[in-house]
């Protein structure tokens, strides 16, 4: 049976006992019906995981004994930054969850000219904390032992203004999805599939809001060395485009490629 994975926001040390966070303890005790002696896996985002055993369940309080540690590397060798315009409703939760599962290293929520969502400073901080919790939950489910960085939402032009204006093509790919982009360049190759060098050190992929990027924003992307690419003849919703783009990048450069063995790398810590 697959063991429950539990994130602990703090140091973990073999041989000690840790009191689990209230929400985590409630889930274990009330939903999973955990009992003293049940085995779990503990991790805190440093790339390692620890064998754990529930020591005591006292109402909504759960403590666990920390056992042996091991390094379990499930991170993609191809770091991806997802620059995502915040969509309406709870669709950003879906994007953060699936991007985490697919191995994205960094998520940068942005607000563009045509974004429906508007956030003040307090709301932005609250959203960031919520999406961070979504990423933690996704890591617990998918087996990642490092948390992706989920940043505080900020204006798109603020993000672009902080980037270096130029970048060598052999380093990090910078791509922006454009729904109307011609998908049949010379040779009949799909633009997104074949853009860039055979190898790259990582990628930044920008996904627009429901109404797409404004023309001046596309110009700003171009000044920041982003290449405009498409994902086929159909117009995708913003959440669909984000996931599809990540899969394409991981399939070509990351741990979903045909040359990747897909195996986790384990070492004794």
């Amino acid at each position: 049976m697959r063991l429950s994975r539990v994130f602990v926001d703090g140091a973990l040390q073999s041989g000690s006992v840790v009191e689990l966070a209230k929400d985590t303890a409630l889930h274990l005790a009330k939903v999973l019906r955990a009992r003293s002696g049940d085995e779990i896996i503990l991790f805190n985002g440093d790339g390692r995981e620890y064998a754990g055993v529930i020591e005591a369940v006292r109402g909504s309080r759960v403590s666990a004994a920390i056992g042996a540690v091991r390094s379990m590397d499930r991170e993609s060798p191809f770091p991806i930054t997802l620059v995502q315009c915040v969509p309406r409703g709870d669709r950003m939760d879906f994007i953060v969850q699936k991007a985490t599962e697919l191995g994205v290293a960094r998520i940068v929520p942005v607000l563009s000219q045509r974004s429906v969502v508007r956030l003040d400073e307090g709301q932005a901080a609250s959203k960031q904390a919520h999406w961070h919790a979504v990423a933690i939950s996704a890591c617990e489910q998918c087996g990642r032992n490092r948390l992706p960085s989920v940043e505080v939402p900020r204006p798109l032009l603020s993000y672009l203004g902080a980037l270096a204006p130029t970048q060598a093509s052999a380093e990090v790919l910078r791509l922006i999805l454009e729904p109307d982009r011609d998908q049949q360049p010379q040779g009949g190759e799909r633009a997104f599939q074949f853009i860039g060098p055979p190898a790259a050190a990582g990628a930044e992929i920008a996904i627009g809001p429901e109404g797409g990027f404004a023309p001046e924003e596309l110009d700003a992307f171009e000044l920041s060395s982003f290449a405009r690419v498409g994902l086929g003849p159909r117009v995708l919703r913003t959440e669909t485009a984000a996931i599809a783009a990540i899969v394409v990048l991981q399939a070509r450069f990351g741990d979903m490629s045909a040359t990747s063995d897909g195996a986790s790398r384990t070492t004794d810590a």
Side-chain angles (χ1 to χ4, degrees):
M1 183 178 69
R2 188 171 183 268
L3 299 181
S4 297
R5 286 170 43 84
V6 176
F7 175 76
V8 176
D9 187 11
L12 293 170
Q13 183 175 356
S14 297
S16 62
V17 175
V18 63
E19 184 90 9
L20 302 182
K22 182 178 179 180
D23 289 346
T24 300
L26 281 171
H27 181 72
L28 285 171
K30 304 301 183 183
V31 179
L32 300 181
R33 305 291 185 181
R35 294 293 180 266
S36 177
D38 288 354
E39 295 182 359
I40 57 176
I41 296 173
L42 304 169
F43 72 104
N44 65 0
D46 68 357
R48 300 178 294 175
E49 61 185 28
Y50 295 74
V53 177
I54 293 179
E55 185 180 70
V57 179
R58 300 178 295 275
S60 61
R61 299 181 63 184
V62 177
S63 58
I66 305 172
V69 58
R70 64 176 180 173
S71 293
M72 178 65 74
D73 185 5
R74 297 188 181 98
E75 295 304 298
S76 173
F78 186 73
I80 298 173
T81 292
L82 174 64
V83 182
Q84 174 69 52
C85 284
V86 180
R88 292 175 295 183
D90 61 358
R91 286 185 284 177
M92 190 67 184
D93 288 16
F94 175 86
I95 293 169
V96 171
Q97 180 190 69
K98 301 310 173 187
T100 300
E101 291 177 24
L102 291 168
V104 163
R106 180 183 176 215
I107 300 170
V108 183
V110 293
L111 303 171
S112 67
Q113 181 177 318
R114 294 176 179 171
S115 293
V116 176
V117 175
R118 299 296 175 191
L119 302 171
D120 60 28
E121 186 175 343
Q123 291 170 326
S126 177
K127 286 290 188 183
Q128 188 271 342
H130 172 73
W131 294 327
H132 178 68
V134 171
I136 288 174
S137 179
C139 285
E140 289 177 333
Q141 182 275 325
C142 73
R144 289 182 69 174
N145 289 318
R146 293 190 184 277
L147 305 180
S149 169
V150 183
E151 300 186 4
V152 176
R154 54 173 153 164
L156 170 62
L157 295 182
S158 172
Y159 170 75
L160 291 176
L163 295 175
T166 59
Q167 192 168 38
S169 61
E171 295 177 3
V172 177
L173 297 175
R174 287 180 177 172
L175 308 173
I176 174 176
L177 287 191
E178 187 178 3
D180 297 330
R181 187 69 173 174
D182 179 11
Q183 287 292 280
Q184 291 294 337
Q186 288 186 350
E189 298 174 340
R190 296 288 183 183
F192 189 88
Q193 225 175 351
F194 290 89
I195 194 166
E204 296 176 50
I205 178 74
I207 314 293
E210 291 87 341
F213 290 113
E216 53 267 38
E217 291 172 334
L218 292 173
D219 292 340
F221 274 112
E222 189 170 345
L223 289 173
S224 296
S225 303
F226 278 77
R228 302 184 189 185
V229 295
L231 272 173
R234 292 167 294 281
V235 176
L236 305 179
R237 292 180 182 272
T238 184
E239 67 271 26
T240 308
I243 306 312
I246 296 165
V247 170
V248 171
L249 288 169
Q250 291 286 34
R252 180 171 182 193
F253 300 104
D255 51 9
M256 292 181 175
S257 68
T259 57
S260 172
D261 60 14
S264 301
R265 293 166 290 281
T266 308
T267 59
D268 293 331

